Amino acid sequence: MTRTAVLAGIGSWLPPQLVTNEQLEGRLDTTDAWIRSRTGVHRRYIAPDDMETSDLAVGAGARALKSSGDAHVDTVIVATTTPDRPCPGTAPTVAARLGLGHAAAYDVSAVCTGFLYALASAAGLIASGVSRRALVIGAETFSRIVDPDDRTTSVIFGDGAGAVVLRGGDPDEPGALGPCVLGSDGEGRDLITVAPPGPRAAAGAEPSYFTMQGKRVFWLAVQRMGECAQDVLGQAGWDTADVDHLVSHQANQRITLRLADEIGIPQERSVTNIADVGNTAGASIPLALDQAHAKGTFKTGDRLLLTAFGGGLTWGATALTWPDIAR
Ligand code: UT7
């Protein structure tokens, strides 16, 4: 029998080091006023040198498992742009450290859309019977690939992780994942990129860091997220008025609000946490979901529309109803 993936647990984890805009003012040619007004970011968390993406993923994953009331899953998917190593994937390490035995474990690389790609993969594994319970984590240490001296990127991004547990269930129960739309356009790969050799260049070579053509990306993000969100609404049979919460990738507060206008959803229904954590790339949607859940923003049965856009270029959207999970 085909099973629908149902949200059963959620958690997030932030590294300990808080960096405020005022601290950045001290070492970059920028101002708190510029960062707040152009991006909406007030502060972000940065992983110390001895902390890896897997450490953040384990923190978020453990909380999501605890919240689900069952410490066992048979599948672990980690969406990340910043894996611990180029090889192997980060997910097997995370599964081992969480005591998940020989669970299937792999990474998904779709930059800021990674979590939605991972969620869709897990939902497919559950629907086909390959997996019964899956842990889906978005975890990033973006501070490792951003040039700390580049004011155009280092003020925007932060580190963090968010995770959800999915189980098999019925399409009409609270927590059920609805339709999912994913897309990509590799013609735009240079718009958001880390060109070779990367930040870990061999000794003597000049390292290269993350770059983004901000203005182009801004408008493409609004357009693509708007299109795929509308597509999901159509497939779900929902009207914009049915959407209780829009949870979009926290790229920039101005993008988030513009997107709500574009889709026709009141801005106050848009969940935002970019002020407190910055743009955490593949971690941003589960982190925003968990923080909003902790604040009591969602009621059981509320309808959520999720959408993301990122490097690749990649984009995606899905819909779900909110389950009754403990806070
Ligand atoms: O997460 C993946 C997807 N990412 C996104 O969706 C991000 C999309 N893009 C953006 O969020 C915005 O384009 C940025 C936040 C990256 C930039 O905002 P903007 O309003 O597009 O600014 P801009 O790049 O057009 O720069 C405006 C001015 C420039 O100065 P001039 O040329 O007008 O003299 C920049 O040099 O602001 C300057 N600037 C800064 N000034 C102070 C750029 N960064 C800074 C800074 N502080 N940190």
Side-chain angles (χ1 to χ4, degrees):
M1 192 183 72
T2 304
R3 305 282 278 163
T4 296
V6 173
L7 192 71
I10 188 157
S12 64
W13 204 85
L14 289 164
Q17 193 184 337
L18 177 67
V19 178
T20 63
N21 290 351
E22 288 75 11
Q23 286 170 282
L24 292 178
E25 273 181 340
R27 61 172 190 78
L28 290 169
D29 179 17
T30 192
T31 60
D32 172 49
W34 191 96
I35 303 170
R36 281 179 191 243
S37 64
R38 303 314 292 169
T39 71
V41 181
H42 299 185
R43 58 192 77 85
R44 75 287 291 145
Y45 293 82
I46 301 295
D49 289 345
D50 61 353
M51 194 174 277
E52 296 186 298
T53 293
S54 59
D55 295 308
L56 277 60
V58 165
R63 288 179 178 172
L65 288 169
K66 186 166 183 224
S67 131
S68 79
D70 181 345
H72 180 74
V73 293
D74 56 32
T75 304
V76 177
I77 309 178
V78 175
T80 186
T81 321
T82 49
D84 290 1
R85 306 175 183 190
C87 171
T90 303
T93 300
V94 172
R97 286 183 54 194
L98 287 170
L100 295 170
H102 293 168
Y106 61 97
D107 291 5
V108 162
S109 175
V111 197
C112 300
T113 320
F115 180 75
L116 292 188
Y117 267 74
L119 203 64
S121 306
L125 293 177
I126 287 172
S128 63
V130 173
S131 170
R132 293 170 63 84
R133 278 173 67 84
L135 176 62
V136 183
I137 305 173
E140 301 278 16
T141 46
F142 235 71
S143 59
R144 299 286 150 72
I145 61 170
V146 163
D147 179 353
D149 296 326
D150 180 357
R151 69 174 185 171
T152 68
T153 52
S154 66
V155 304
I156 304 169
F157 291 94
D159 301 336
V164 299
V165 173
L166 298 177
R167 62 169 172 80
D170 299 319
D172 51 1
E173 66 175 299
L177 248 60
C180 189
V181 170
L182 302 173
S184 81
D185 179 7
E187 296 292 336
R189 65 188 170 277
D190 293 330
L191 297 180
I192 300 172
T193 190
V194 180
R200 294 173 183 172
E206 191 66 25
S208 57
Y209 292 99
F210 178 90
T211 59
M212 176 168 70
Q213 293 183 31
K215 280 245 181 304
R216 284 278 314 278
V217 170
F218 186 109
W219 292 110
L220 279 168
V222 172
Q223 182 193 345
R224 293 293 184 211
M225 285 196 284
E227 286 166 0
C228 61
Q230 294 283 10
D231 202 349
V232 160
L233 286 179
Q235 290 187 37
W238 293 0
D239 201 60
T240 47
D242 297 328
V243 178
D244 297 300
H245 310 280
L246 171 65
V247 186
S248 58
H249 165 48
Q250 305 286 298
N252 179 323
Q253 180 73 356
R254 288 156 52 222
I255 292 179
T256 302
L257 298 180
R258 190 68 71 116
L259 175 68
D261 292 346
E262 187 81 8
I263 305 174
I265 291 173
Q267 290 185 353
E268 56 276 17
R269 290 197 203 153
S270 200
V271 168
T272 69
N273 69 341
I274 194 169
D276 294 324
V277 299
N279 177 342
T280 57
S284 90
I285 287 187
L287 194 45
L289 285 174
D290 186 51
Q291 292 191 337
H293 173 60
K295 281 191 206 150
T297 305
F298 307 141
K299 295 190 303 296
T300 303
D302 275 1
R303 292 178 172 197
L304 276 66
L305 179 61
L306 316 184
T307 183
F309 175 88
L313 301 169
T314 55
W315 55 87
T318 192
L320 82 151
T321 51
W322 195 252
D324 181 13
I325 34 180
R327 285 200 266 143

